[in-house]
Amino acid sequence: MAALHTTNPFELFWQDLPLPPGSTRPPLSEFEVECLMRDRVSLVDGRSNRIVHRDGIVLLTSHRIIWHCQSQSRALHGHLSRVAEARTSRNIFKPSTRVHLYLQGKVQDLDNRPATKIEFAHGGRDEFLKQVRSLLMMRDWEKPPPVKLRLSPCAIEADGSTPASMPSFSPASPVQTVEPVFTTRLAGVGGILRQQETARAAQDRLATEAFADLEALMGKAREVVGVIERYATVLASKDKGEGEKGGSEAEGGTARDDAELQGLLLNMGISNPVTRVSAGSLYHQELARQLARFLAGGSTAAGALGRRSLLSERGGMMTLHDVFCLFNRARGTALISPEDLLDACETLELLQLGMRLRRFPSGVSVVEAMDFSEERVGARLRALAEAEADGSLTALDVATHLRVSIALAQEFLGTAEAQGLLCRDQSVQGTLFWPNRFPAWVAQAGEGNNGAS
Amino acid sequence: MATFKESLEDFARKHKKDINANPVLRAEFNKMCAGIGVDPLASNKGFWAQLLGVGDFYYELAVQIIEICLFTRSLNGGLICLSDLTQRVQKRRKVDKISTEDIKIAINKVHLLGAGFSLLQSGKTTLVVSVPTELSSDHAAILQMAQASDSHVTVGELVQKLQWVEKRVRLALDLMMQAGMAWLDAQGADGPREVYWFPSLWEEGLCQTQRDRGTGQGGREEGDNRSPG
């Protein structure tokens, strides 16, 4: 489709985006941020005004417009840098649900310039337009990746202690990796000190400039992130060093709290939190998917490192309160309300995301991994009972084997009993559960009778 | 770095709306906060939150409250004193004054998420419970203790050995009583004290006693009475 010498803006702008096998979601690059998502959006050829691709999901990122259609497993994308202007039709007599994208090129008469169009027949056009315009202003793709500022670890000491007190850094620390042109000014202890002084000055300048106001922060954000991330790495390596020395228990308290908080924040960042504005009518669905990915540990650093998922670390079950806290933490400032969380949790099972909402008779609500589903637990309990030395189970046995609480173990046993897999034997010593052999006996007895007659 | 930290905290307080409105900036802002250990949840209570309880203020507070409960759970089993909790939240929110009333409102805000996270009045102190019995492992710990001491325990023993507050012990024992797993003997063998028995452990307790006797440590009276043959 993408002919080399075409002048049709549609073909110039939209390019095929190969999806990774097994994925329905286009991959994003490192600094790309998801901004907006709308469903039932069609792509229109601006020249012929005909719909070329109908009813897909459009995803606007800080760098690109991506259109994909799950049923056709097809995706197209166009880079925002090629867009000169985005607007709606100027014809006030012909209301339209389309956004016109004008491509970069020779300046011509605006209204006769060919455009490629995106149709929002089911709403969402204005939000899209607003967001595209703001992204075109920001031109995020032009910003350099976080600069490796010439910062020595000493210069970014939190307490501003003197460099001389920092002998613990290995030769691999950043100050050595940056190799400035050698002059005598940079030689010796004096040189190192001078270098550190320069770095610290640069950083102070950055702090003052970047935090002057919101606009300034937008412009300098990536630089600041660079500095801070480096700082975090240094801090982490320092902590590790202290840990090896045995650590000082006396500090404890707040310091440990802070460290925990920081660890939590670093480990569980969701860089593209789904929001009501970004996902529109897809909101609760997308939120449920993001939540499932988060709990399964897929998108987190913990998951990437091959550790157990968040949910299985907590026994395959988490109260909604804990989920509310950890999920919101990972989302940073884009909090979701308890109502939205509840809605998303109710969608989990429907979307077959491997977990679901479960409500206990006591009113406690949890998200549980699907391997806690009733049939599976019933079968597991029966197998467990058969494997026991005396052939029976107590709630305590179940609690120890499945690593769940006793209250939950009791409920599991009750469920298995209701399924006819286990039988209750109540005595002074408590309640024992045995594998239910009655159906087998009945069947056997039936066969015997048949044989006799 | 201190300048960065202060500026970030300031921004988190003042510009939350603007930051949230711009996904690119939000992502970067959150990265900054994470790297430097600034809590990005620091909205002002503001006029509307004060008046109607709307806005993110109480949700933010709820996140911080549950977080503190999560961190301290390994120490207290999900029971924390309201005043202690308030102090810890206050430490996080450097500027705003947080009252126990705020904490209560925040906890009520997340009531929709089900039971299991609630306030519990115990004498003069108010406790916050963050682990529902369905997910608590305290009962298992008590049974383990009972297993090691001839299938019975007292509240005092548990408080001492497990280093729990008495309320925590009693909560767990009460549930086990209700479930019929524990029996209460109000007149223990050694005088007037409450002894909790676990009949489901009797058999195992007996074996223990026999072993004890075998090694010459001597069994307790109760065990001897029930020893077979």
Side-chain angles (χ1 to χ4, degrees), chain A residues 33 79 109 142 157 236 267 285 410 441 443:
Chain A
V33 179
H79 206 279
D109 177 17
E142 281 176 0
E157 258 298 88
N267 278 333
Q285 250 188 54
Q410 276 179 322
W441 286 337

Side-chain angles (χ1 to χ4, degrees), chain A residues 185-422:
Chain A
R185 261 181 66 79
L186 295 170
V189 176
I192 293 171
L193 287 178
R194 214 168 290 134
Q195 252 178 292
Q196 279 161 357
E197 205 41 60
T198 323
R200 207 191 318 243
Q203 204 189 319
D204 283 349
R205 208 164 45 240
L206 179 63
T208 340
E209 284 170 11
F211 290 101
D213 58 47
L214 202 67
E215 300 247 310
L217 184 63
M218 262 189 246
K220 301 256 181 204
R222 208 166 273 177
E223 243 174 282
V224 177
V225 170
V227 173
I228 287 176
E229 276 179 352
R230 164 131 305 161
Y231 165 77
T233 337
V234 171
L235 209 66
S237 65
K238 205 175 113 206
D239 279 357
K240 214 171 141 200
E242 270 175 12
E244 278 155 12
K245 271 184 265 161
S248 53
E249 270 301 308
E251 279 187 14
T254 349
R256 197 163 51 227
D257 277 359
D258 283 351
E260 272 170 344
L261 172 68
Q262 200 165 343
L264 198 73
L265 293 172
L266 280 177
N267 278 333
M268 299 196 238
I270 294 175
S271 50
N272 288 314
V274 174
T275 66
R276 203 177 273 281
V277 179
S278 81
S281 60
L282 294 170
Y283 181 50
H284 287 125
Q285 250 188 54
E286 283 300 310
L287 200 59
R289 285 181 204 281
Q290 189 161 63
L291 176 64
R293 273 201 301 277
F294 172 66
L295 292 178
S299 67
T300 67
L305 291 172
R307 265 173 40 197
R308 293 173 68 203
S309 77
L310 206 59
L311 199 56
S312 64
E313 240 171 40
R314 285 165 172 74
M317 207 173 264
M318 270 167 93
T319 64
L320 287 197
H321 291 96
D322 291 1
V323 173
F324 175 79
C325 168
L326 294 178
F327 189 47
N328 265 328
R329 251 310 168 207
R331 292 170 55 91
T333 49
L335 289 191
I336 59 165
S337 68
E339 288 86 355
D340 287 338
L341 177 65
L342 203 61
D343 282 342
C345 286
E346 274 162 359
T347 330
L348 282 172
E349 195 172 5
L350 206 72
L351 295 174
Q352 300 185 321
L353 294 171
M355 46 192 80
R356 66 169 179 187
L357 177 68
R358 175 194 180 109
R359 287 193 173 92
F360 288 106
S362 61
V364 173
S365 299
V366 298
V367 172
E368 67 173 1
M370 281 301 238
D371 48 350
F372 273 105
S373 77
E374 291 180 352
E375 303 81 55
R376 285 200 210 176
V377 165
R380 254 167 104 186
L381 288 193
R382 177 153 184 151
L384 216 60
E386 277 160 0
E388 280 285 303
D390 60 352
S392 70
L393 282 176
T394 63
L396 185 60
D397 294 334
V398 176
T400 3
H401 278 109
L402 300 186
R403 272 183 293 160
V404 294
S405 71
I406 289 183
L408 196 58
Q410 276 179 322
E411 202 189 306
F412 282 167
L413 284 167
T415 319
E417 187 187 23
Q419 286 169 7
L421 291 167
L422 296 177

Side-chain angles (χ1 to χ4, degrees), chain B residues 94-113:
Chain B
K94 295 188 175 75
V95 179
D96 293 307
K97 276 268 168 282
I98 304 295
S99 67
T100 51
E101 209 43 49
D102 287 330
I103 304 271
K104 283 184 188 171
I105 294 173
I107 290 175
N108 274 331
K109 283 265 156 197
V110 290
H111 189 70
L112 194 76
L113 300 175

